Amino acid sequence: MTTEETPQPADATGLSRHVQHLLTGVRDFDARRPWLWDATLTAVWTVAALVDAAGGWRTTARDPSVPVWLVVTLSLAFAVPLYWRRRHPTAALAVMACAALVSEGSGASLQAAYLQTLPLFHIALVRPPRTLLRSFVLLPPPLVAGAVRFPSEPWDQQIVPTLWAYALVALLGIAVRSRRDHTAGLVDRARRLEIERDQEVRLAAAAERTRIAREMHDIIGHNLSVITGLADGGRYAATKNPERAAQALDAIGTTSREALAELRRLLGVLHDDDQEAARDPQPTLADLDTLITGVRKAGLPVRFDVRDEPGAQPLPPGAKLTVYRVVQEALTNTLKHAGPDAKATVLLTYTPAAVRTEITDTGRAVPGTSAPTSGQGLTGMRERAALYDGTLACGPLPTGGWAVRLRLPLEDSPS
């Protein structure tokens, strides 16, 4: 046995969409020209009230002998204030309540008195609850005056149903107001979420640009400095030792190819959206020997020492990369600024609380150059150290030369 779903009308969705589109157009028109809408509504109800004043009012009047001029005046008093029902709803309701008091007291009992529900609705829609309560006090006196003046029916039948009608209109206004405020809150929240999302995207893009610039500076800057050193050494060796010059050229080619490969790898990761794209591992502390060997080939004597204290713990991979990049940048600065007779020392110390790295040199600044007190390199080193709650200190030594000191604390250790 099979069951079939109840078919839905084909035009149900289209009709709903058409109605929503029509309502949206009416709201937009009302927002652009509110005076025209108010004037049209007031004119319609004024004509209806005057038509009733032509004689129909006597079918519900308690005293049909009320003068016609009074009926016309009261009809206008009920209809004309509707023009100000949105801008001054409380004043419009007060004028209409006075007309209702005269209407019930005189026995005309005009049905136009129910137009008081329109300003009452707008009071509930836009005014504070206290104003709504104060305005609601204006409605019972006309009903009480009519019940006392013409006690043909029980007073509760004359007063209570009408008050219930007014209460339902006020509740409708409160419901519409709550719905509108809720919708406005959702729209505002969506707008703020969109702004926050755009800000997060911009911050993420800025952080990524900074990271890429730091990586490219470390890779290209170091390799170019090594190539420069090799080229200078090869130029001096060309006249005295052609074999050393050829070795320098070979080293320049090797370093250039390594730099080009690193650059292609970085650019390939940026352009390749495939999650399976090949990515070479980042350098670690095990690659420091290779780094220092390249610097030595460029003409800078480097002494490298490692000290392990009892209880020392290994660093995480990210911290190892930070130490490697700091050593790389410090030696690159030494190649560029320390001069031809400089020597460098790299000391790596493992302790139970932290890993300390100290890079010093004995050189002096070459004329026409300045000490590396600022720039992308030192900024990148400080940013890398801050990622792992580390500290970085750079400055000249009293005996000449330059020192870079890095401390990376291990987990649960103070910075």
Side-chain angles (χ1 to χ4, degrees):
M1 180 177 180
T2 60
T3 58
E4 296 182 359
E5 296 182 356
T6 303
Q8 297 293 333
D11 59 340
T13 304
L15 179 60
S16 175
R17 186 181 297 109
H18 180 72
V19 172
Q20 292 179 359
H21 180 72
L22 180 61
L23 293 177
T24 302
V26 171
R27 295 192 191 99
D28 293 341
F29 178 81
D30 184 34
R32 292 193 303 268
R33 298 178 180 86
W35 63 270
L36 183 58
W37 182 264
D38 293 339
T40 302
L41 183 67
T42 303
V44 170
W45 284 113
T46 301
V47 172
L50 292 178
V51 169
D52 185 64
W57 64 276
R58 289 189 175 88
T59 59
T60 58
R62 293 188 177 95
D63 185 5
S65 63
V66 176
V68 177
W69 66 266
L70 180 60
V71 174
V72 173
T73 303
L74 294 176
S75 299
L76 293 175
F78 282 127
V80 174
L82 292 178
Y83 184 77
W84 295 276
R85 76 191 188 286
R86 289 196 287 190
R87 287 168 291 177
H88 308 287
T90 306
L93 181 61
V95 173
M96 299 170 74
C98 294
L101 181 62
V102 176
S103 174
E104 295 295 332
S106 63
S109 302
L110 297 178
Q111 295 185 16
Y114 286 105
L115 293 176
Q116 296 176 96
T117 56
L118 296 178
L120 179 64
F121 174 82
H122 282 281
I123 292 174
L125 185 65
V126 299
R127 293 293 188 267
R130 182 178 301 177
T131 303
L132 177 62
L133 293 176
R134 292 175 179 175
S135 302
F136 208 84
V137 176
L138 299 174
L139 302 175
L143 302 177
V144 174
V148 173
R149 181 76 169 78
F150 301 97
S152 58
E153 297 178 358
W155 68 271
D156 56 340
Q157 295 182 8
Q158 300 183 49
I159 299 175
V160 175
T162 306
L163 290 180
W164 269 114
Y166 291 145
L168 291 176
V169 170
L171 291 176
L172 178 61
I174 294 174
V176 173
R177 177 178 184 170
S178 300
R179 176 70 176 179
R180 185 186 63 182
D181 293 344
H182 178 67
T183 303
L186 292 178
V187 172
D188 181 69
R189 180 182 179 185
R191 181 183 58 81
R192 287 187 285 106
L193 289 176
E194 184 176 0
I195 294 174
E196 292 176 0
R197 182 197 62 188
D198 294 340
Q199 291 177 345
E200 290 176 357
V201 170
R202 288 194 293 269
L203 291 175
E208 187 66 11
R209 285 195 298 268
T210 302
R211 187 188 68 83
I212 293 171
R214 187 168 56 231
E215 290 291 332
M216 294 188 69
H217 174 274
D218 292 340
I219 294 171
I220 299 176
H222 170 74
N223 285 286
L224 288 180
S225 297
V226 171
I227 290 172
T228 301
L230 290 171
D232 291 339
R235 183 183 61 182
Y236 289 112
T239 57
K240 299 180 181 180
N241 193 340
E243 183 179 355
R244 292 292 301 273
Q247 293 176 356
L249 292 176
D250 292 339
I252 289 174
T254 301
T255 305
S256 300
R257 284 189 291 271
E258 291 177 355
L260 184 60
E262 287 285 328
L263 182 59
R264 285 176 176 173
R265 180 190 64 82
L266 182 60
L267 295 179
V269 171
L270 293 178
H271 288 92
D272 197 345
D273 295 332
D274 188 3
Q275 296 295 331
E276 301 299 329
R279 292 175 173 84
D280 294 339
Q282 293 280 15
T284 63
L285 296 183
D287 299 309
L288 281 178
D289 290 333
T290 303
L291 173 68
I292 293 174
T293 299
V295 174
R296 288 169 179 165
K297 290 181 180 180
L300 176 64
V302 181
R303 178 181 177 184
F304 179 41
D305 293 328
V306 179
R307 299 177 183 176
D308 287 325
E309 296 184 3
Q313 300 179 9
L315 283 174
K320 292 180 180 179
L321 176 62
T322 297
V323 174
Y324 180 91
R325 292 303 189 195
V326 168
V327 173
Q328 183 185 52
E329 178 63 24
L331 293 178
T332 301
N333 289 335
T334 300
L335 281 172
K336 292 192 293 186
H337 303 286
D341 298 328
K343 297 180 181 180
T345 300
V346 178
L347 177 60
L348 185 62
T349 305
Y350 293 92
T351 68
V355 173
R356 296 194 299 269
T357 306
E358 183 176 12
I359 306 97
T360 59
D361 63 64
T362 60
R364 300 183 182 275
V366 179
T369 64
S370 58
T373 58
S374 62
Q376 180 69 26
L378 292 183
T379 301
M381 287 194 291
R382 292 191 177 96
E383 291 176 351
R384 290 182 183 277
L387 288 176
Y388 295 92
D389 197 24
T391 56
L392 182 76
C394 305
L397 296 172
T399 57
W402 192 264
V404 176
R405 296 181 178 90
L406 171 69
R407 181 182 185 275
L408 294 182
L410 299 176
E411 294 183 0
D412 303 328
S413 300
S415 174

